[in-house]
């Protein structure tokens, strides 16, 4: 398989065939994100992608899922995507699910009917970053779009019948903006109503703009207790109908896995116990991205 630079994928795609169709991220401006800083955005040569699909058809017959890399494969024109999905379906007919990352900018270029076309050809899950539901925070971290625009893109995905996994970042509002970030993020998640929410806790990445702001004292990271309080407010304002609220990423101090609405109160109680010091938290040295 032909890969340019480091390849990242969600933990749930560990056993998937990773097909890199674009490199980097077409936005690539978020101040907290370092994943594609050293990789210019580009669309990969169709011949190379087709060779990868042929390779997978011979050597990956035991794998049942495909994940399209890098940051936003949906930025490809619809005709190219249809042709790509056709090639995957013809050569890997045993595949049960195609997934991809997609930022709001690339979803905004698709209509619901175009997303439905992709769903019919196997696109089953999209991983999208909301990061915050607070417009001030989104603007400060240079995310593409405001909360209303990002929510709208998420709703298009679910309307098309494609599962949506939305990530948000605890601590992204800094200390001063913590509670408003938490409350507005919960409200935005409720409006979007994805099947899955994944909460990460902010960890600065070297050579990012946010890391420089932290080093200059312009942005405050939250303490573990402040992070838990923020998480509590976020969950309190999140209503999924139904959906999973995960905070089990390695960056988090308190691993959580809740099915909402069923587990909401139980999970809030667990966070309260952790705030009171009654639950062991992940030590700083074990946290990671
Ligand atoms: S849109 Fe996603 S991948 Fe692109 S810079 Fe922002 S966080 Fe990183």
């Amino acid at each position: 398989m032909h890969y340019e630079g480091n390849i990242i994928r969600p933990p749930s795609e560990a056993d998937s065939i990773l097909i890199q169709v674009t490199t980097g991220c077409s936005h690539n401006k978020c101040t907290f994100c370092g994943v594609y800083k050293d990789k210019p955005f580009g669309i990969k040569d169709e011949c190379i992608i087709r060779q990868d699909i042929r390779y997978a058809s011979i050597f990956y017959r035991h794998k049942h899922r495909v994940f399209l890399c890098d940051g936003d494969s949906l930025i490809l024109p619809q005709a190219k995507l249809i042709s790509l999905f056709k090639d995957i379906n013809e050569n890997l007919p045993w595949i049960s699910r195609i997934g991809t990352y997609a930022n709001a900018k690339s979803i905004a270029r698709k209509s619901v009917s175009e997303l439905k076309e992709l769903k019919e050809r196997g696109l089953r899950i999209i991983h999208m970053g909301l990061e915050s539901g607070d417009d001030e925070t989104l603007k400060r971290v240079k995310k593409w779009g405001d909360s209303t625009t990002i929510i709208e893109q998420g709703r298009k995905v679910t309307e098309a019948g494609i599962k949506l996994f939305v990530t948000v970042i605890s601590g992204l509002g800094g200390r001063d903006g913590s509670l408003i970030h938490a409350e507005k993020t919960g409200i935005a998640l409720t409006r979007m109503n994805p099947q899955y929410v994944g909460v990460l806790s902010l960890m600065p990445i070297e050579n990012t703009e946010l890391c420089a702001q932290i080093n200059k004292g312009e942005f405050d990271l939250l303490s573990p207790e402040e992070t838990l309080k923020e998480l509590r407010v976020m969950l309190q304002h999140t209503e999924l109908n139904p959906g999973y609220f995960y905070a089990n990423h390695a960056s988090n101090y308190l691993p959580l896995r809740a099915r909402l609405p069923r587990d909401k109160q139980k999970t809030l109680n667990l966070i309260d116990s952790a705030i009171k010091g009654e639950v062991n938290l992940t030590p700083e040295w074990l946290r990671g991205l």
Side-chain angles (χ1 to χ4, degrees), residues 8 24-37 70-72 101-105 128-129 131 141-144 167 169:
I8 61 159
C25 163
S26 65
H27 178 58
N28 213 13
K29 291 190 178 76
C30 302
T31 63
F32 56 87
C33 174
V35 277
Y36 301 122
K37 287 285 182 263
D70 281 334
D72 53 351
Y101 285 124
N103 58 35
K105 176 185 171 185
M128 184 186 86
E131 328 305 2
V141 301
K142 302 186 181 168
K143 190 83 190 160
W144 183 92
T167 51
I169 305 179

mmCIF file of all heavy atoms in Angstrom, residues 8 24-37 70-72 101-105 128-129 131 141-144 167 169, ligand 1:
data_model
loop_
_atom_site.group_PDB
_atom_site.id
_atom_site.type_symbol
_atom_site.label_atom_id
_atom_site.label_comp_id
_atom_site.label_asym_id
_atom_site.label_seq_id
_atom_site.Cartn_x
_atom_site.Cartn_y
_atom_site.Cartn_z
ATOM 1 N N ILE A 8 -3.096 8.516 10.278
ATOM 2 C CA ILE A 8 -3.878 8.354 11.507
ATOM 3 C C ILE A 8 -5.280 7.859 11.130
ATOM 4 O O ILE A 8 -5.765 8.109 10.021
ATOM 5 C CB ILE A 8 -3.969 9.645 12.350
ATOM 6 C CG1 ILE A 8 -4.649 10.780 11.580
ATOM 7 C CG2 ILE A 8 -2.596 10.092 12.833
ATOM 8 C CD1 ILE A 8 -5.203 11.850 12.474
ATOM 9 N N GLY A 24 -3.040 15.004 3.956
ATOM 10 C CA GLY A 24 -3.229 16.187 4.796
ATOM 11 C C GLY A 24 -4.673 16.594 4.942
ATOM 12 O O GLY A 24 -5.595 15.786 4.818
ATOM 13 N N CYS A 25 -4.854 17.887 5.206
ATOM 14 C CA CYS A 25 -6.197 18.445 5.465
ATOM 15 C C CYS A 25 -6.337 19.718 4.648
ATOM 16 O O CYS A 25 -5.418 20.545 4.627
ATOM 17 C CB CYS A 25 -6.311 18.747 6.963
ATOM 18 S SG CYS A 25 -7.667 19.855 7.379
ATOM 19 N N SER A 26 -7.458 19.873 3.986
ATOM 20 C CA SER A 26 -7.635 21.035 3.112
ATOM 21 C C SER A 26 -7.793 22.334 3.915
ATOM 22 O O SER A 26 -7.663 23.416 3.359
ATOM 23 C CB SER A 26 -8.854 20.834 2.218
ATOM 24 O OG SER A 26 -10.028 20.782 3.018
ATOM 25 N N HIS A 27 -8.082 22.226 5.205
ATOM 26 C CA HIS A 27 -8.193 23.419 6.051
ATOM 27 C C HIS A 27 -6.822 23.681 6.706
ATOM 28 O O HIS A 27 -6.194 24.707 6.447
ATOM 29 C CB HIS A 27 -9.294 23.200 7.098
ATOM 30 C CG HIS A 27 -9.458 24.342 8.039
ATOM 31 N ND1 HIS A 27 -9.734 25.614 7.619
ATOM 32 C CD2 HIS A 27 -9.351 24.414 9.405
ATOM 33 C CE1 HIS A 27 -9.811 26.425 8.668
ATOM 34 N NE2 HIS A 27 -9.569 25.713 9.763
ATOM 35 N N ASN A 28 -6.397 22.738 7.515
ATOM 36 C CA ASN A 28 -5.051 22.734 8.120
ATOM 37 C C ASN A 28 -4.679 24.020 8.858
ATOM 38 O O ASN A 28 -3.520 24.437 8.825
ATOM 39 C CB ASN A 28 -3.993 22.431 7.038
ATOM 40 C CG ASN A 28 -2.822 21.646 7.631
ATOM 41 O OD1 ASN A 28 -2.911 21.143 8.754
ATOM 42 N ND2 ASN A 28 -1.747 21.553 6.908
ATOM 43 N N LYS A 29 -5.668 24.661 9.505
ATOM 44 C CA LYS A 29 -5.365 25.921 10.198
ATOM 45 C C LYS A 29 -5.653 25.852 11.700
ATOM 46 O O LYS A 29 -5.347 26.805 12.419
ATOM 47 C CB LYS A 29 -6.222 27.051 9.604
ATOM 48 C CG LYS A 29 -5.869 27.444 8.192
ATOM 49 C CD LYS A 29 -6.613 28.728 7.810
ATOM 50 C CE LYS A 29 -6.260 29.194 6.423
ATOM 51 N NZ LYS A 29 -6.875 28.431 5.349
ATOM 52 N N CYS A 30 -6.273 24.779 12.176
ATOM 53 C CA CYS A 30 -6.679 24.742 13.585
ATOM 54 C C CYS A 30 -5.438 24.834 14.485
ATOM 55 O O CYS A 30 -4.468 24.101 14.277
ATOM 56 C CB CYS A 30 -7.463 23.457 13.878
ATOM 57 S SG CYS A 30 -8.928 23.304 12.842
ATOM 58 N N THR A 31 -5.506 25.729 15.468
ATOM 59 C CA THR A 31 -4.303 26.064 16.247
ATOM 60 C C THR A 31 -3.843 24.920 17.163
ATOM 61 O O THR A 31 -2.705 24.902 17.588
ATOM 62 C CB THR A 31 -4.560 27.301 17.128
ATOM 63 O OG1 THR A 31 -5.595 26.983 18.074
ATOM 64 C CG2 THR A 31 -4.968 28.504 16.307
ATOM 65 N N PHE A 32 -4.749 23.991 17.461
ATOM 66 C CA PHE A 32 -4.425 22.896 18.393
ATOM 67 C C PHE A 32 -3.951 21.644 17.658
ATOM 68 O O PHE A 32 -3.500 20.689 18.281
ATOM 69 C CB PHE A 32 -5.680 22.533 19.220
ATOM 70 C CG PHE A 32 -6.853 22.170 18.356
ATOM 71 C CD1 PHE A 32 -7.031 20.877 17.914
ATOM 72 C CD2 PHE A 32 -7.753 23.142 17.945
ATOM 73 C CE1 PHE A 32 -8.086 20.545 17.076
ATOM 74 C CE2 PHE A 32 -8.816 22.829 17.113
ATOM 75 C CZ PHE A 32 -8.981 21.526 16.678
ATOM 76 N N CYS A 33 -4.089 21.625 16.344
ATOM 77 C CA CYS A 33 -3.913 20.391 15.574
ATOM 78 C C CYS A 33 -2.543 20.348 14.897
ATOM 79 O O CYS A 33 -2.185 21.266 14.154
ATOM 80 C CB CYS A 33 -5.018 20.309 14.519
ATOM 81 S SG CYS A 33 -4.816 18.924 13.386
ATOM 82 N N GLY A 34 -1.825 19.269 15.149
ATOM 83 C CA GLY A 34 -0.509 19.161 14.537
ATOM 84 C C GLY A 34 -0.386 18.000 13.574
ATOM 85 O O GLY A 34 0.676 17.769 13.005
ATOM 86 N N VAL A 35 -1.487 17.259 13.385
ATOM 87 C CA VAL A 35 -1.361 16.000 12.644
ATOM 88 C C VAL A 35 -0.886 16.153 11.210
ATOM 89 O O VAL A 35 -0.146 15.318 10.706
ATOM 90 C CB VAL A 35 -2.665 15.153 12.631
ATOM 91 C CG1 VAL A 35 -2.802 14.333 13.867
ATOM 92 C CG2 VAL A 35 -3.886 15.964 12.347
ATOM 93 N N TYR A 36 -1.305 17.219 10.548
ATOM 94 C CA TYR A 36 -0.947 17.321 9.136
ATOM 95 C C TYR A 36 -0.077 18.550 8.846
ATOM 96 O O TYR A 36 -0.002 19.006 7.715
ATOM 97 C CB TYR A 36 -2.219 17.384 8.271
ATOM 98 C CG TYR A 36 -3.110 16.182 8.435
ATOM 99 C CD1 TYR A 36 -4.428 16.321 8.842
ATOM 100 C CD2 TYR A 36 -2.629 14.891 8.194
ATOM 101 C CE1 TYR A 36 -5.259 15.206 8.999
ATOM 102 C CE2 TYR A 36 -3.434 13.779 8.358
ATOM 103 C CZ TYR A 36 -4.751 13.950 8.758
ATOM 104 O OH TYR A 36 -5.554 12.843 8.914
ATOM 105 N N LYS A 37 0.539 19.095 9.896
ATOM 106 C CA LYS A 37 1.308 20.336 9.699
ATOM 107 C C LYS A 37 2.479 20.148 8.726
ATOM 108 O O LYS A 37 2.870 21.074 8.030
ATOM 109 C CB LYS A 37 1.838 20.834 11.055
ATOM 110 C CG LYS A 37 0.746 21.446 11.949
ATOM 111 C CD LYS A 37 0.328 22.842 11.489
ATOM 112 C CE LYS A 37 -0.722 23.460 12.401
ATOM 113 N NZ LYS A 37 -2.100 23.307 11.947
ATOM 114 N N ASP A 70 -6.580 10.972 3.944
ATOM 115 C CA ASP A 70 -6.290 11.461 5.284
ATOM 116 C C ASP A 70 -7.490 12.218 5.872
ATOM 117 O O ASP A 70 -8.530 11.629 6.062
ATOM 118 C CB ASP A 70 -5.090 12.414 5.228
ATOM 119 C CG ASP A 70 -3.750 11.669 5.155
ATOM 120 O OD1 ASP A 70 -3.661 10.550 5.606
ATOM 121 O OD2 ASP A 70 -2.789 12.270 4.652
ATOM 122 N N GLY A 71 -7.292 13.532 6.062
ATOM 123 C CA GLY A 71 -8.231 14.305 6.882
ATOM 124 C C GLY A 71 -9.627 14.497 6.338
ATOM 125 O O GLY A 71 -10.579 14.607 7.114
ATOM 126 N N ASP A 72 -9.773 14.584 5.019
ATOM 127 C CA ASP A 72 -11.115 14.907 4.518
ATOM 128 C C ASP A 72 -11.300 14.430 3.080
ATOM 129 O O ASP A 72 -11.350 15.227 2.147
ATOM 130 C CB ASP A 72 -11.411 16.414 4.627
ATOM 131 C CG ASP A 72 -10.347 17.273 3.979
ATOM 132 O OD1 ASP A 72 -9.302 16.732 3.604
ATOM 133 O OD2 ASP A 72 -10.577 18.477 3.824
ATOM 134 N N TYR A 101 -12.718 10.211 7.708
ATOM 135 C CA TYR A 101 -12.773 11.493 8.409
ATOM 136 C C TYR A 101 -13.399 12.482 7.441
ATOM 137 O O TYR A 101 -13.236 12.354 6.216
ATOM 138 C CB TYR A 101 -11.368 12.006 8.720
ATOM 139 C CG TYR A 101 -10.645 11.320 9.845
ATOM 140 C CD1 TYR A 101 -9.392 10.742 9.637
ATOM 141 C CD2 TYR A 101 -11.176 11.286 11.126
ATOM 142 C CE1 TYR A 101 -8.695 10.137 10.672
ATOM 143 C CE2 TYR A 101 -10.488 10.674 12.164
ATOM 144 C CZ TYR A 101 -9.255 10.108 11.933
ATOM 145 O OH TYR A 101 -8.567 9.506 12.951
ATOM 146 N N ALA A 102 -14.055 13.498 7.967
ATOM 147 C CA ALA A 102 -14.519 14.586 7.102
ATOM 148 C C ALA A 102 -14.641 15.828 7.960
ATOM 149 O O ALA A 102 -15.193 15.760 9.058
ATOM 150 C CB ALA A 102 -15.869 14.245 6.485
ATOM 151 N N ASN A 103 -14.081 16.925 7.513
ATOM 152 C CA ASN A 103 -14.316 18.155 8.270
ATOM 153 C C ASN A 103 -15.557 18.844 7.705
ATOM 154 O O ASN A 103 -16.056 18.502 6.626
ATOM 155 C CB ASN A 103 -13.075 19.060 8.292
ATOM 156 C CG ASN A 103 -12.613 19.444 6.897
ATOM 157 O OD1 ASN A 103 -13.430 19.627 6.010
ATOM 158 N ND2 ASN A 103 -11.294 19.552 6.716
ATOM 159 N N ALA A 104 -16.066 19.803 8.462
ATOM 160 C CA ALA A 104 -17.317 20.458 8.064
ATOM 161 C C ALA A 104 -17.174 21.131 6.699
ATOM 162 O O ALA A 104 -18.120 21.174 5.905
ATOM 163 C CB ALA A 104 -17.723 21.476 9.135
ATOM 164 N N LYS A 105 -15.963 21.616 6.420
ATOM 165 C CA LYS A 105 -15.729 22.300 5.140
ATOM 166 C C LYS A 105 -15.985 21.359 3.959
ATOM 167 O O LYS A 105 -16.595 21.750 2.961
ATOM 168 C CB LYS A 105 -14.270 22.787 5.119
ATOM 169 C CG LYS A 105 -13.825 23.420 3.840
ATOM 170 C CD LYS A 105 -12.327 23.739 3.917
ATOM 171 C CE LYS A 105 -11.806 24.179 2.573
ATOM 172 N NZ LYS A 105 -10.349 24.385 2.601
ATOM 173 N N MET A 128 -16.242 13.355 12.345
ATOM 174 C CA MET A 128 -16.118 14.800 12.138
ATOM 175 C C MET A 128 -15.787 15.504 13.443
ATOM 176 O O MET A 128 -16.313 15.135 14.497
ATOM 177 C CB MET A 128 -17.457 15.327 11.603
ATOM 178 C CG MET A 128 -17.428 16.798 11.257
ATOM 179 S SD MET A 128 -19.067 17.430 10.786
ATOM 180 C CE MET A 128 -19.742 17.835 12.380
ATOM 181 N N GLY A 129 -14.937 16.511 13.378
ATOM 182 C CA GLY A 129 -14.611 17.279 14.584
ATOM 183 C C GLY A 129 -15.514 18.492 14.711
ATOM 184 O O GLY A 129 -15.597 19.295 13.786
ATOM 185 N N GLU A 131 -15.303 20.001 17.972
ATOM 186 C CA GLU A 131 -14.329 20.550 18.925
ATOM 187 C C GLU A 131 -14.986 21.423 19.988
ATOM 188 O O GLU A 131 -14.757 21.249 21.168
ATOM 189 C CB GLU A 131 -13.175 21.343 18.258
ATOM 190 C CG GLU A 131 -12.719 20.904 16.879
ATOM 191 C CD GLU A 131 -12.301 19.466 16.713
ATOM 192 O OE1 GLU A 131 -12.369 18.691 17.682
ATOM 193 O OE2 GLU A 131 -11.938 19.082 15.582
ATOM 194 N N VAL A 141 -9.580 29.242 17.891
ATOM 195 C CA VAL A 141 -8.717 28.111 17.476
ATOM 196 C C VAL A 141 -8.683 27.932 15.944
ATOM 197 O O VAL A 141 -8.100 26.989 15.431
ATOM 198 C CB VAL A 141 -9.124 26.781 18.161
ATOM 199 C CG1 VAL A 141 -9.056 26.911 19.669
ATOM 200 C CG2 VAL A 141 -10.498 26.288 17.712
ATOM 201 N N LYS A 142 -9.331 28.884 15.240
ATOM 202 C CA LYS A 142 -9.287 28.912 13.764
ATOM 203 C C LYS A 142 -9.906 27.682 13.102
ATOM 204 O O LYS A 142 -9.432 27.195 12.071
ATOM 205 C CB LYS A 142 -7.852 29.132 13.259
ATOM 206 C CG LYS A 142 -7.250 30.420 13.776
ATOM 207 C CD LYS A 142 -5.906 30.705 13.172
ATOM 208 C CE LYS A 142 -5.340 31.996 13.734
ATOM 209 N NZ LYS A 142 -3.949 32.213 13.417
ATOM 210 N N LYS A 143 -10.946 27.174 13.734
ATOM 211 C CA LYS A 143 -11.700 26.071 13.125
ATOM 212 C C LYS A 143 -12.468 26.635 11.927
ATOM 213 O O LYS A 143 -12.870 27.803 11.945
ATOM 214 C CB LYS A 143 -12.660 25.520 14.194
ATOM 215 C CG LYS A 143 -13.349 24.237 13.833
ATOM 216 C CD LYS A 143 -12.504 23.030 14.099
ATOM 217 C CE LYS A 143 -13.165 21.801 13.471
ATOM 218 N NZ LYS A 143 -12.206 20.716 13.277
ATOM 219 N N TRP A 144 -12.729 25.801 10.943
ATOM 220 C CA TRP A 144 -13.548 26.262 9.805
ATOM 221 C C TRP A 144 -15.012 26.313 10.234
ATOM 222 O O TRP A 144 -15.543 25.324 10.751
ATOM 223 C CB TRP A 144 -13.402 25.293 8.635
ATOM 224 C CG TRP A 144 -14.154 25.734 7.406
ATOM 225 C CD1 TRP A 144 -13.668 26.479 6.380
ATOM 226 C CD2 TRP A 144 -15.526 25.466 7.095
ATOM 227 N NE1 TRP A 144 -14.645 26.689 5.455
ATOM 228 C CE2 TRP A 144 -15.811 26.086 5.863
ATOM 229 C CE3 TRP A 144 -16.551 24.782 7.752
ATOM 230 C CZ2 TRP A 144 -17.064 26.028 5.262
ATOM 231 C CZ3 TRP A 144 -17.804 24.722 7.152
ATOM 232 C CH2 TRP A 144 -18.052 25.343 5.918
ATOM 233 N N THR A 167 -16.204 14.451 17.391
ATOM 234 C CA THR A 167 -15.249 14.655 18.492
ATOM 235 C C THR A 167 -15.320 16.094 18.997
ATOM 236 O O THR A 167 -15.532 17.042 18.215
ATOM 237 C CB THR A 167 -13.797 14.360 18.066
ATOM 238 O OG1 THR A 167 -13.519 15.083 16.886
ATOM 239 C CG2 THR A 167 -13.560 12.898 17.842
ATOM 240 N N ILE A 169 -13.401 18.703 22.218
ATOM 241 C CA ILE A 169 -12.153 18.754 23.001
ATOM 242 C C ILE A 169 -12.382 19.498 24.308
ATOM 243 O O ILE A 169 -12.652 20.710 24.315
ATOM 244 C CB ILE A 169 -11.021 19.421 22.198
ATOM 245 C CG1 ILE A 169 -10.825 18.702 20.865
ATOM 246 C CG2 ILE A 169 -9.723 19.408 23.004
ATOM 247 C CD1 ILE A 169 -9.748 19.296 19.980
HETATM 248 S S1 LIG B 1 -9.934 20.422 10.275
HETATM 249 FE FE1 LIG B 1 -9.283 18.659 11.534
HETATM 250 S S2 LIG B 1 -7.453 17.825 10.529
HETATM 251 FE FE2 LIG B 1 -7.821 19.871 9.677
HETATM 252 S S3 LIG B 1 -6.521 21.233 10.885
HETATM 253 FE FE3 LIG B 1 -8.541 21.228 11.858
HETATM 254 S S4 LIG B 1 -8.482 19.588 13.402
HETATM 255 FE FE4 LIG B 1 -6.702 19.288 12.036
#
